[in-house]
């Protein structure tokens, strides 16, 4: 036990004394995470403001004179153009030089005024380019609001009592229409991004240190002297794994605290529907998350050290680790799109189960069976990897690579 403690302390001291390594493992990932979230929020807000401020170019055909007033109410800077050349208008929409093309039927006003029961109902055609943000926004506003307002006003001219045509309304006076558990909803908001960021940053942080712990020492020649020292090789393995696990665990706590601190604020600023949400968690959720993060750090440490054992240098270890990193990246992304249709066996899939469990802990929807399955498989797989590493350390052929 003393040898394990000695090796673990040696590795921790090496990391603590290396300022560059401390910055790259504990500070840089948090800065990157905050910068990315801020950048996404800022760009999203900037894009919305740009779309709102844009003066749309709208082509009209056969439009009544009073309709232009409705368009100007939508945006006073709107550029209204008249053209009979359909191909010209289509080309303008394709090239993004115009946002909308509104085509009224000929003699539209006369058809409205002379309408009799059984007559064909006039159709207004609205054309737009969904691949252009300005065009999509203009279509949504005009088709969903302006034309509906225009229709209601024309209908009011035809019918004396508009109320008699209103069979029912939907949420016209219902300020309490949203019924949700704010804490659960807040957890769901965090759950979309937290598992992904934590698992990815945790693995990437451990990867840089872990590959140097074994492959780096083999490359520098210091591993050979350590192997001939009067220390059990299993103690060397456990000492290095525990050191990497401690570093990974501390970094994961920093990432989680940073996410809790910054994400709710940023979401509130970006108007992502987070108003009224609560981001508090019970002691049970915190404990469950803490133990799961320890298990994840244990598993990731085992994977990285195992790869380093079979690599001849740090560069080779990094190249061997990258496929595992990409797998974790993909599985982390998949958990961002899960629904309630989650089967029990999902919690038995390594790597995927940890991200899924983290997400469900945040929303309070995980059962003890699901949590126990995830924790057990993660720790069990980590223990198997440690056993394989210890066996590999006993092989002179492997350690002399």
């Amino acid at each position: 036990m003393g040898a394990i403690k000695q090796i673990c302390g040696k590795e921790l001291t090496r990391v603590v004394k290396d300022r560059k390594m401390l910055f790259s493992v504990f500070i840089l990932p948090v800065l990157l995470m905050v910068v990315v979230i801020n950048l996404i929020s800022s760009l999203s807000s900037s894009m919305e403001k740009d779309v709102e401020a844009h003066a749309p170019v709208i082509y009209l055909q056969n439009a009544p004179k009073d309709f232009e007033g409705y368009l100007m109410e939508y945006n006073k800077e709107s550029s209204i153009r008249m053209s009979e050349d359909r191909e010209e208008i289509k080309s303008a929409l394709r090239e993004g030089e115009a946002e909308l093309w509104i085509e009224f039927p000929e003699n539209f006003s006369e058809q409205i005024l002379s309408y009799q029961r059984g007559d064909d109902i006039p159709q207004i055609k609205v054309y737009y380019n969904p691949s252009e943000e300005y065009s999509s926004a203009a279509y949504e506003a005009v088709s969903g609001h302006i034309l509906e307002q225009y229709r209601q006003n024309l209908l009011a001219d035809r019918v004396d009592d508009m109320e008699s045509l209103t069979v029912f309304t939907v949420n016209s006076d219902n300020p309490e229409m949203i019924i949700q558990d704010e804490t659960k909803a807040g957890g769901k908001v965090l759950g979309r991004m937290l598992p992904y960021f934590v698992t990815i940053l945790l693995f990437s942080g451990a990867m840089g240190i872990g590959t140097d712990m074994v492959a780096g020492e083999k490359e520098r020649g210091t591993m050979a002297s350590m192997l001939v020292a009067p220390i059990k090789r299993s103690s060397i393995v456990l000492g290095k794994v525990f050191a990497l696990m401690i570093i990974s665990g501390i970094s994961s706590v920093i990432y989680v605290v940073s996410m809790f601190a910054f994400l709710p604020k940023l979401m509130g600023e970006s108007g992502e529907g987070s108003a009224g949400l609560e981001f508090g968690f019970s002691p049970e959720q915190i404990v469950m998350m803490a133990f799961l993060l320890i298990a994840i750090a244990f598993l990731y440490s085992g994977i990285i050290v195992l790869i380093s054992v079979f690599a001849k240098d740090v560069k080779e270890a990094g190249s061997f680790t990258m496929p595992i990193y990409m797998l974790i990246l993909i599985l982390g992304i998949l958990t961002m799109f899960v629904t309630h249709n989650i089967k029990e066996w999902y919690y038995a899939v390594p790597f995927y189960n940890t991200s899924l469990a983290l997400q469900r802990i945040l929303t309070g929807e995980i059962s003890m069976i699901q949590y126990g399955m995830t924790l057990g498989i993660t720790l069990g797989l980590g223990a198997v990897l440690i056993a394989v590493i210890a066996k590999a350390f006993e092989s002179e052929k492997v350690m002399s690579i």
Side-chain angles (χ1 to χ4, degrees):
M1 189 67 184
I4 297 174
K5 184 178 179 181
Q6 182 181 359
I7 297 295
C8 181
K10 168 183 167 291
E11 296 295 343
L12 291 175
T13 301
R14 182 171 64 89
V15 172
V16 170
K17 289 184 177 181
D18 191 333
R19 293 182 180 179
K20 292 182 179 178
M21 192 172 290
L22 282 175
F23 178 78
S24 65
V25 174
F26 299 113
I27 301 175
L28 183 59
V30 174
L31 292 177
L32 289 175
M33 180 174 61
V34 173
V35 168
V36 168
I37 295 175
N38 261 306
L39 184 61
I40 293 173
S41 174
S42 176
L43 290 176
S44 176
S45 177
S46 177
M47 186 178 71
E48 290 179 5
K49 291 178 180 178
D50 180 58
V51 170
E52 291 176 2
H54 178 71
V57 175
I58 303 174
Y59 279 92
L60 293 180
Q61 283 189 329
N62 306 318
K65 293 181 179 180
D66 62 337
F67 183 71
E68 290 187 29
Y70 288 86
L71 292 178
M72 299 309 290
E73 286 184 11
Y74 156 59
N75 191 322
K76 294 181 180 180
E77 303 299 324
S78 298
S79 177
I80 310 299
R81 299 182 184 179
M82 307 293 180
S83 176
E84 297 299 326
D85 189 339
R86 301 174 66 88
E87 293 304 320
E88 177 190 350
I89 301 174
K90 288 180 180 179
S91 177
L93 284 173
R94 289 194 194 98
E95 299 300 325
E97 298 172 359
E99 278 62 61
L100 285 182
W101 170 20
I102 306 175
E103 183 183 17
F104 286 77
E106 293 184 7
N107 303 318
F108 174 78
S109 298
E110 289 78 0
Q111 292 182 49
I112 296 296
L113 293 173
S114 62
Y115 177 80
Q116 299 292 326
R117 181 178 295 181
D119 289 350
D120 291 336
I121 298 176
Q123 178 186 186
I124 300 174
K125 298 179 180 180
V126 182
Y127 304 88
Y128 76 111
N129 184 349
S131 63
E132 295 286 342
E133 288 79 8
Y134 294 148
S135 184
S136 295
Y139 175 79
E140 182 179 347
V142 172
S143 181
H145 302 285
I146 304 302
L147 285 175
E148 180 60 29
Q149 181 184 353
Y150 187 52
R151 173 165 42 199
Q152 293 298 321
N153 289 343
L154 291 177
L155 190 59
D157 293 337
R158 181 182 294 175
V159 180
D160 292 334
D161 184 10
M162 279 291 293
E163 295 295 328
S164 64
L165 298 180
T166 305
V167 180
F168 63 85
T169 62
V170 178
N171 284 337
S172 59
D173 184 21
N174 183 19
E176 300 177 353
M177 62 182 177
I178 297 177
I179 301 176
Q180 67 177 358
D181 184 330
E182 278 74 19
T183 301
K184 181 179 177 181
K188 188 160 290 189
V189 168
L190 285 173
R192 291 194 189 102
M193 300 185 69
L194 183 65
Y196 170 74
F197 271 109
V198 169
T199 54
I200 297 307
L201 293 175
L202 194 154
F203 190 89
S204 62
M207 185 167 61
I209 298 175
T211 53
D212 186 68
M213 280 185 176
V214 179
E217 293 208 25
K218 288 169 69 175
E219 186 178 358
R220 293 188 295 271
T222 55
M223 179 61 73
S225 59
M226 187 178 295
L227 293 175
V228 298
I231 304 175
K232 289 184 178 180
R233 294 193 176 187
S234 59
S235 298
I236 298 175
V237 172
L238 292 175
K240 287 182 175 294
V241 171
F242 286 156
L244 184 58
M245 182 178 163
I246 290 170
I247 295 168
S248 300
I250 293 174
S251 64
S252 66
V253 170
I254 294 174
Y255 303 153
V256 171
V257 171
S258 301
M259 183 71 80
F260 282 160
F262 289 103
L263 186 59
K265 178 178 179 293
L266 293 173
M267 290 192 63
E269 291 176 352
S270 62
E272 294 288 336
S274 58
L277 298 186
E278 297 177 7
F279 295 94
F281 300 99
S282 66
E284 181 183 3
Q285 287 174 294
I286 295 173
V287 171
M288 292 174 74
M289 190 181 302
F291 277 103
L292 186 56
L293 288 174
I294 292 172
I296 295 172
F298 179 59
L299 175 59
Y300 287 0
S301 300
I303 293 171
I304 294 168
V305 172
L306 177 62
I307 292 173
S308 297
V309 168
F310 289 93
K312 62 182 179 181
D313 53 36
V314 174
K315 183 178 179 181
E316 189 174 82
S319 63
F320 289 164
T321 308
M322 192 54 62
I324 305 297
Y325 181 68
M326 294 304 298
L327 175 63
I328 294 173
L329 178 68
I330 293 170
L331 293 176
I333 292 174
L334 290 177
T335 58
M336 298 173 71
F337 304 98
V338 295
T339 63
H340 286 284
N341 187 24
I342 298 175
K343 297 178 175 59
E344 292 293 327
W345 64 267
Y346 288 3
Y347 293 91
V349 180
F351 306 120
Y352 181 78
N353 58 357
T354 52
S355 294
L356 185 61
L358 277 173
Q359 188 181 72
R360 296 292 156 172
I361 290 172
L362 291 169
T363 60
E365 297 175 314
I366 194 169
S367 68
M368 291 307 298
I369 294 176
Q370 295 166 344
Y371 180 75
M373 187 186 304
T374 302
L375 193 64
I377 288 175
T378 304
L379 290 173
L381 184 57
V384 170
L385 293 177
I386 299 304
V388 174
I389 295 169
K391 189 72 174 177
F393 258 71
E394 299 293 337
S395 172
E396 296 297 335
K397 181 179 180 181
V398 173
M399 298 309 297
S400 62
I401 293 177

